[in-house]
């Protein structure tokens, strides 16, 4: 229940968390690792945009 609620309320953070889990799980698979690093960078950019768009306070 909590996982589904978290996914709905925080989709970007859920993707970031899943990316880190995948990075750890597939760390020996170099091709997968490179793809996940690229995905992680894109998610980080999206997160920065979301955080920048939030009003201060």
């Amino acid at each position: 229940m909590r996982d589904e609620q978290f996914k709905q309320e925080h989709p970007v953070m859920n993707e970031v968390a899943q990316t880190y889990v995948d990075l750890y799980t597939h760390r020996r698979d170099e091709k997968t690792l490179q793809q996940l690093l690229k995905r992680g960078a894109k998610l980080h950019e999206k997160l920065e945009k979301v955080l920048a768009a939030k009003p201060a306070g």
Side-chain angles (χ1 to χ4, degrees):
M1 175 65 178
R2 290 189 335 192
D3 288 341
E4 291 301 318
Q5 184 179 5
F6 181 80
K7 287 178 187 179
Q8 290 176 349
E9 293 178 4
H10 308 286
V12 174
M13 289 304 295
N14 182 60
E15 284 296 317
V16 169
Q18 187 60 48
T19 298
Y20 282 115
V21 169
D22 289 346
L23 283 170
Y24 181 77
T25 304
H26 300 289
R27 66 181 174 198
R28 294 184 186 204
D29 183 1
E30 187 64 27
K31 183 179 178 183
T32 303
L33 177 63
Q34 292 302 320
Q35 290 173 342
L36 291 171
L37 287 171
K38 288 178 185 177
R39 186 172 113 187
K42 288 180 184 177
L43 288 170
H44 190 289
E45 289 173 15
K46 287 181 182 180
L47 179 59
E48 290 295 323
K49 288 178 183 177
V50 168
L51 292 175
K54 277 189 167 183

